[in-house]
Amino acid sequence: MDDAERIALLGSGVHFLIGLLTGVWKYRAIMKSPTGQAHPYVDILHRASLMYAFASLIVWKFAELSPLGRAVELAAVVALEGYFGIAIAAYFVHALLKDTDNQLRAPFRLGAATVPRAMIEAFMWSLIAAEVGGFVVLFYGAGIGLSMW
């Protein structure tokens, strides 16, 4: 197993553990809430962590099937797992701070601070490029590995 595959599997385990632990946080928040709901970002954190865990398994398998070369696969996996982790960290911060119920609605809050729109947009475009681009590379490589193209 090469480094790209190890990172994807490690990412899957970390994301799944975060999902399980934040499920406890979500449950406790629901039980304490008069409305029976956790803060939106506790819910988002919990669900996204679980989804990223399974997405990371797909990333792992596609990296395993790809013959594109270790450096290419590693770059694609690091881009995907890195942004999965950054997203989870952002959701965690918003859940702790209870500063917003929508991080992509202006004004863009981070605690008591306001983040400039340009920073949000630049980050989101970089996330899109890294996640879509990283997966397209692995998908292409897996297609070669499976003799599909």
Side-chain angles (χ1 to χ4, degrees), residues 57-80:
L57 291 176
I58 294 168
V59 170
W60 162 68
K61 190 61 178 178
F62 278 65
E64 180 184 57
L65 293 170
S66 174
L68 292 180
R70 290 180 180 221
V72 171
E73 293 163 8
L74 182 61
V77 169
V78 166
L80 283 157

PDB file of all heavy atoms in Angstrom, residues 57-80:
ATOM      1  N   LEU A  57     -13.160   6.400   1.509  1.00  0.00           N
ATOM      2  CA  LEU A  57     -13.005   5.017   1.055  1.00  0.00           C
ATOM      3  C   LEU A  57     -13.033   4.940  -0.470  1.00  0.00           C
ATOM      4  O   LEU A  57     -12.300   4.142  -1.080  1.00  0.00           O
ATOM      5  CB  LEU A  57     -14.097   4.118   1.648  1.00  0.00           C
ATOM      6  CG  LEU A  57     -14.007   3.866   3.139  1.00  0.00           C
ATOM      7  CD1 LEU A  57     -15.201   3.036   3.608  1.00  0.00           C
ATOM      8  CD2 LEU A  57     -12.699   3.193   3.507  1.00  0.00           C
ATOM      9  N   ILE A  58     -13.861   5.761  -1.091  1.00  0.00           N
ATOM     10  CA  ILE A  58     -13.881   5.821  -2.555  1.00  0.00           C
ATOM     11  C   ILE A  58     -12.551   6.362  -3.063  1.00  0.00           C
ATOM     12  O   ILE A  58     -11.971   5.825  -4.009  1.00  0.00           O
ATOM     13  CB  ILE A  58     -15.058   6.689  -3.038  1.00  0.00           C
ATOM     14  CG1 ILE A  58     -16.384   6.021  -2.668  1.00  0.00           C
ATOM     15  CG2 ILE A  58     -14.969   6.950  -4.544  1.00  0.00           C
ATOM     16  CD1 ILE A  58     -17.595   6.908  -2.831  1.00  0.00           C
ATOM     17  N   VAL A  59     -12.064   7.411  -2.425  1.00  0.00           N
ATOM     18  CA  VAL A  59     -10.761   7.985  -2.788  1.00  0.00           C
ATOM     19  C   VAL A  59      -9.677   6.921  -2.673  1.00  0.00           C
ATOM     20  O   VAL A  59      -8.836   6.761  -3.569  1.00  0.00           O
ATOM     21  CB  VAL A  59     -10.442   9.214  -1.907  1.00  0.00           C
ATOM     22  CG1 VAL A  59      -9.008   9.680  -2.095  1.00  0.00           C
ATOM     23  CG2 VAL A  59     -11.426  10.345  -2.199  1.00  0.00           C
ATOM     24  N   TRP A  60      -9.681   6.158  -1.578  1.00  0.00           N
ATOM     25  CA  TRP A  60      -8.698   5.091  -1.374  1.00  0.00           C
ATOM     26  C   TRP A  60      -8.752   4.078  -2.509  1.00  0.00           C
ATOM     27  O   TRP A  60      -7.723   3.714  -3.085  1.00  0.00           O
ATOM     28  CB  TRP A  60      -8.934   4.404  -0.030  1.00  0.00           C
ATOM     29  CG  TRP A  60      -8.294   3.061   0.080  1.00  0.00           C
ATOM     30  CD1 TRP A  60      -6.944   2.791   0.119  1.00  0.00           C
ATOM     31  CD2 TRP A  60      -8.944   1.795   0.128  1.00  0.00           C
ATOM     32  NE1 TRP A  60      -6.729   1.445   0.200  1.00  0.00           N
ATOM     33  CE2 TRP A  60      -7.954   0.803   0.205  1.00  0.00           C
ATOM     34  CE3 TRP A  60     -10.285   1.405   0.116  1.00  0.00           C
ATOM     35  CZ2 TRP A  60      -8.242  -0.547   0.263  1.00  0.00           C
ATOM     36  CZ3 TRP A  60     -10.573   0.055   0.181  1.00  0.00           C
ATOM     37  CH2 TRP A  60      -9.564  -0.898   0.252  1.00  0.00           C
ATOM     38  N   LYS A  61      -9.948   3.608  -2.838  1.00  0.00           N
ATOM     39  CA  LYS A  61     -10.070   2.570  -3.863  1.00  0.00           C
ATOM     40  C   LYS A  61      -9.633   3.084  -5.221  1.00  0.00           C
ATOM     41  O   LYS A  61      -8.949   2.378  -5.968  1.00  0.00           O
ATOM     42  CB  LYS A  61     -11.514   2.036  -3.918  1.00  0.00           C
ATOM     43  CG  LYS A  61     -11.648   0.810  -4.777  1.00  0.00           C
ATOM     44  CD  LYS A  61     -10.792  -0.330  -4.218  1.00  0.00           C
ATOM     45  CE  LYS A  61     -10.937  -1.592  -5.028  1.00  0.00           C
ATOM     46  NZ  LYS A  61     -10.076  -2.677  -4.532  1.00  0.00           N
ATOM     47  N   PHE A  62      -9.990   4.303  -5.552  1.00  0.00           N
ATOM     48  CA  PHE A  62      -9.586   4.849  -6.841  1.00  0.00           C
ATOM     49  C   PHE A  62      -8.070   5.060  -6.889  1.00  0.00           C
ATOM     50  O   PHE A  62      -7.444   4.836  -7.923  1.00  0.00           O
ATOM     51  CB  PHE A  62     -10.349   6.134  -7.148  1.00  0.00           C
ATOM     52  CG  PHE A  62     -11.712   5.881  -7.725  1.00  0.00           C
ATOM     53  CD1 PHE A  62     -12.700   5.252  -6.983  1.00  0.00           C
ATOM     54  CD2 PHE A  62     -12.021   6.254  -9.022  1.00  0.00           C
ATOM     55  CE1 PHE A  62     -13.952   5.004  -7.503  1.00  0.00           C
ATOM     56  CE2 PHE A  62     -13.280   6.010  -9.562  1.00  0.00           C
ATOM     57  CZ  PHE A  62     -14.248   5.381  -8.798  1.00  0.00           C
ATOM     58  N   ALA A  63      -7.473   5.466  -5.773  1.00  0.00           N
ATOM     59  CA  ALA A  63      -6.007   5.593  -5.724  1.00  0.00           C
ATOM     60  C   ALA A  63      -5.357   4.225  -5.877  1.00  0.00           C
ATOM     61  O   ALA A  63      -4.329   4.093  -6.555  1.00  0.00           O
ATOM     62  CB  ALA A  63      -5.579   6.251  -4.417  1.00  0.00           C
ATOM     63  N   GLU A  64      -5.943   3.221  -5.285  1.00  0.00           N
ATOM     64  CA  GLU A  64      -5.420   1.853  -5.395  1.00  0.00           C
ATOM     65  C   GLU A  64      -5.465   1.354  -6.839  1.00  0.00           C
ATOM     66  O   GLU A  64      -4.530   0.696  -7.301  1.00  0.00           O
ATOM     67  CB  GLU A  64      -6.228   0.926  -4.499  1.00  0.00           C
ATOM     68  CG  GLU A  64      -5.770  -0.521  -4.538  1.00  0.00           C
ATOM     69  CD  GLU A  64      -6.659  -1.423  -3.697  1.00  0.00           C
ATOM     70  OE1 GLU A  64      -7.876  -1.460  -3.953  1.00  0.00           O
ATOM     71  OE2 GLU A  64      -6.109  -2.085  -2.802  1.00  0.00           O
ATOM     72  N   LEU A  65      -6.513   1.672  -7.552  1.00  0.00           N
ATOM     73  CA  LEU A  65      -6.682   1.203  -8.929  1.00  0.00           C
ATOM     74  C   LEU A  65      -5.860   1.985  -9.942  1.00  0.00           C
ATOM     75  O   LEU A  65      -5.587   1.498 -11.034  1.00  0.00           O
ATOM     76  CB  LEU A  65      -8.164   1.281  -9.325  1.00  0.00           C
ATOM     77  CG  LEU A  65      -9.111   0.344  -8.597  1.00  0.00           C
ATOM     78  CD1 LEU A  65     -10.561   0.697  -8.912  1.00  0.00           C
ATOM     79  CD2 LEU A  65      -8.809  -1.106  -8.968  1.00  0.00           C
ATOM     80  N   SER A  66      -5.481   3.196  -9.596  1.00  0.00           N
ATOM     81  CA  SER A  66      -4.812   4.093 -10.536  1.00  0.00           C
ATOM     82  C   SER A  66      -3.342   3.729 -10.756  1.00  0.00           C
ATOM     83  O   SER A  66      -2.595   3.548  -9.801  1.00  0.00           O
ATOM     84  CB  SER A  66      -4.885   5.531 -10.017  1.00  0.00           C
ATOM     85  OG  SER A  66      -4.121   6.387 -10.835  1.00  0.00           O
ATOM     86  N   PRO A  67      -2.912   3.676 -12.032  1.00  0.00           N
ATOM     87  CA  PRO A  67      -1.497   3.457 -12.337  1.00  0.00           C
ATOM     88  C   PRO A  67      -0.762   4.749 -12.702  1.00  0.00           C
ATOM     89  O   PRO A  67       0.290   4.706 -13.329  1.00  0.00           O
ATOM     90  CB  PRO A  67      -1.571   2.531 -13.559  1.00  0.00           C
ATOM     91  CG  PRO A  67      -2.762   3.043 -14.304  1.00  0.00           C
ATOM     92  CD  PRO A  67      -3.745   3.486 -13.220  1.00  0.00           C
ATOM     93  N   LEU A  68      -1.307   5.901 -12.313  1.00  0.00           N
ATOM     94  CA  LEU A  68      -0.750   7.175 -12.770  1.00  0.00           C
ATOM     95  C   LEU A  68       0.601   7.523 -12.154  1.00  0.00           C
ATOM     96  O   LEU A  68       1.272   8.417 -12.639  1.00  0.00           O
ATOM     97  CB  LEU A  68      -1.738   8.314 -12.504  1.00  0.00           C
ATOM     98  CG  LEU A  68      -3.016   8.283 -13.322  1.00  0.00           C
ATOM     99  CD1 LEU A  68      -3.896   9.469 -12.955  1.00  0.00           C
ATOM    100  CD2 LEU A  68      -2.717   8.272 -14.813  1.00  0.00           C
ATOM    101  N   GLY A  69       0.972   6.906 -11.110  1.00  0.00           N
ATOM    102  CA  GLY A  69       2.233   7.225 -10.448  1.00  0.00           C
ATOM    103  C   GLY A  69       1.984   7.758  -9.051  1.00  0.00           C
ATOM    104  O   GLY A  69       0.990   8.435  -8.799  1.00  0.00           O
ATOM    105  N   ARG A  70       2.906   7.439  -8.177  1.00  0.00           N
ATOM    106  CA  ARG A  70       2.727   7.771  -6.758  1.00  0.00           C
ATOM    107  C   ARG A  70       2.588   9.260  -6.493  1.00  0.00           C
ATOM    108  O   ARG A  70       1.773   9.683  -5.688  1.00  0.00           O
ATOM    109  CB  ARG A  70       3.865   7.186  -5.945  1.00  0.00           C
ATOM    110  CG  ARG A  70       3.786   5.685  -5.865  1.00  0.00           C
ATOM    111  CD  ARG A  70       4.928   5.103  -5.062  1.00  0.00           C
ATOM    112  NE  ARG A  70       4.771   3.658  -5.037  1.00  0.00           N
ATOM    113  CZ  ARG A  70       4.990   2.915  -3.976  1.00  0.00           C
ATOM    114  NH1 ARG A  70       5.388   3.471  -2.853  1.00  0.00           N
ATOM    115  NH2 ARG A  70       4.817   1.628  -4.033  1.00  0.00           N
ATOM    116  N   ALA A  71       3.390  10.077  -7.158  1.00  0.00           N
ATOM    117  CA  ALA A  71       3.355  11.525  -6.894  1.00  0.00           C
ATOM    118  C   ALA A  71       2.014  12.125  -7.323  1.00  0.00           C
ATOM    119  O   ALA A  71       1.450  12.953  -6.601  1.00  0.00           O
ATOM    120  CB  ALA A  71       4.500  12.224  -7.609  1.00  0.00           C
ATOM    121  N   VAL A  72       1.509  11.713  -8.464  1.00  0.00           N
ATOM    122  CA  VAL A  72       0.228  12.226  -8.964  1.00  0.00           C
ATOM    123  C   VAL A  72      -0.899  11.796  -8.039  1.00  0.00           C
ATOM    124  O   VAL A  72      -1.752  12.605  -7.649  1.00  0.00           O
ATOM    125  CB  VAL A  72      -0.026  11.745 -10.410  1.00  0.00           C
ATOM    126  CG1 VAL A  72      -1.441  12.080 -10.861  1.00  0.00           C
ATOM    127  CG2 VAL A  72       0.997  12.338 -11.358  1.00  0.00           C
ATOM    128  N   GLU A  73      -0.914  10.524  -7.689  1.00  0.00           N
ATOM    129  CA  GLU A  73      -1.967  10.010  -6.801  1.00  0.00           C
ATOM    130  C   GLU A  73      -1.889  10.658  -5.423  1.00  0.00           C
ATOM    131  O   GLU A  73      -2.920  11.012  -4.843  1.00  0.00           O
ATOM    132  CB  GLU A  73      -1.855   8.493  -6.686  1.00  0.00           C
ATOM    133  CG  GLU A  73      -2.173   7.788  -7.995  1.00  0.00           C
ATOM    134  CD  GLU A  73      -1.692   6.359  -8.038  1.00  0.00           C
ATOM    135  OE1 GLU A  73      -1.236   5.833  -6.997  1.00  0.00           O
ATOM    136  OE2 GLU A  73      -1.770   5.769  -9.130  1.00  0.00           O
ATOM    137  N   LEU A  74      -0.674  10.818  -4.910  1.00  0.00           N
ATOM    138  CA  LEU A  74      -0.498  11.444  -3.604  1.00  0.00           C
ATOM    139  C   LEU A  74      -1.013  12.885  -3.624  1.00  0.00           C
ATOM    140  O   LEU A  74      -1.716  13.310  -2.705  1.00  0.00           O
ATOM    141  CB  LEU A  74       0.971  11.402  -3.188  1.00  0.00           C
ATOM    142  CG  LEU A  74       1.297  11.975  -1.814  1.00  0.00           C
ATOM    143  CD1 LEU A  74       0.571  11.212  -0.706  1.00  0.00           C
ATOM    144  CD2 LEU A  74       2.804  11.941  -1.583  1.00  0.00           C
ATOM    145  N   ALA A  75      -0.690  13.637  -4.673  1.00  0.00           N
ATOM    146  CA  ALA A  75      -1.167  15.021  -4.771  1.00  0.00           C
ATOM    147  C   ALA A  75      -2.693  15.071  -4.809  1.00  0.00           C
ATOM    148  O   ALA A  75      -3.316  15.901  -4.131  1.00  0.00           O
ATOM    149  CB  ALA A  75      -0.581  15.689  -6.014  1.00  0.00           C
ATOM    150  N   ALA A  76      -3.303  14.178  -5.569  1.00  0.00           N
ATOM    151  CA  ALA A  76      -4.766  14.154  -5.667  1.00  0.00           C
ATOM    152  C   ALA A  76      -5.397  13.804  -4.321  1.00  0.00           C
ATOM    153  O   ALA A  76      -6.360  14.450  -3.888  1.00  0.00           O
ATOM    154  CB  ALA A  76      -5.203  13.157  -6.740  1.00  0.00           C
ATOM    155  N   VAL A  77      -4.863  12.795  -3.649  1.00  0.00           N
ATOM    156  CA  VAL A  77      -5.415  12.373  -2.358  1.00  0.00           C
ATOM    157  C   VAL A  77      -5.206  13.447  -1.297  1.00  0.00           C
ATOM    158  O   VAL A  77      -6.121  13.748  -0.521  1.00  0.00           O
ATOM    159  CB  VAL A  77      -4.824  11.016  -1.914  1.00  0.00           C
ATOM    160  CG1 VAL A  77      -5.181  10.701  -0.468  1.00  0.00           C
ATOM    161  CG2 VAL A  77      -5.306   9.903  -2.841  1.00  0.00           C
ATOM    162  N   VAL A  78      -4.048  14.050  -1.256  1.00  0.00           N
ATOM    163  CA  VAL A  78      -3.781  15.110  -0.267  1.00  0.00           C
ATOM    164  C   VAL A  78      -4.720  16.295  -0.504  1.00  0.00           C
ATOM    165  O   VAL A  78      -5.243  16.872   0.456  1.00  0.00           O
ATOM    166  CB  VAL A  78      -2.295  15.529  -0.293  1.00  0.00           C
ATOM    167  CG1 VAL A  78      -2.072  16.833   0.457  1.00  0.00           C
ATOM    168  CG2 VAL A  78      -1.436  14.423   0.297  1.00  0.00           C
ATOM    169  N   ALA A  79      -4.952  16.643  -1.768  1.00  0.00           N
ATOM    170  CA  ALA A  79      -5.883  17.736  -2.061  1.00  0.00           C
ATOM    171  C   ALA A  79      -7.280  17.400  -1.549  1.00  0.00           C
ATOM    172  O   ALA A  79      -7.912  18.218  -0.860  1.00  0.00           O
ATOM    173  CB  ALA A  79      -5.917  18.014  -3.563  1.00  0.00           C
ATOM    174  N   LEU A  80      -7.761  16.210  -1.847  1.00  0.00           N
ATOM    175  CA  LEU A  80      -9.102  15.806  -1.408  1.00  0.00           C
ATOM    176  C   LEU A  80      -9.188  15.728   0.109  1.00  0.00           C
ATOM    177  O   LEU A  80     -10.056  16.352   0.729  1.00  0.00           O
ATOM    178  CB  LEU A  80      -9.460  14.452  -2.026  1.00  0.00           C
ATOM    179  CG  LEU A  80      -9.880  14.499  -3.483  1.00  0.00           C
ATOM    180  CD1 LEU A  80      -9.661  13.148  -4.152  1.00  0.00           C
ATOM    181  CD2 LEU A  80     -11.329  14.915  -3.580  1.00  0.00           C
TER     182      LEU A  80
END
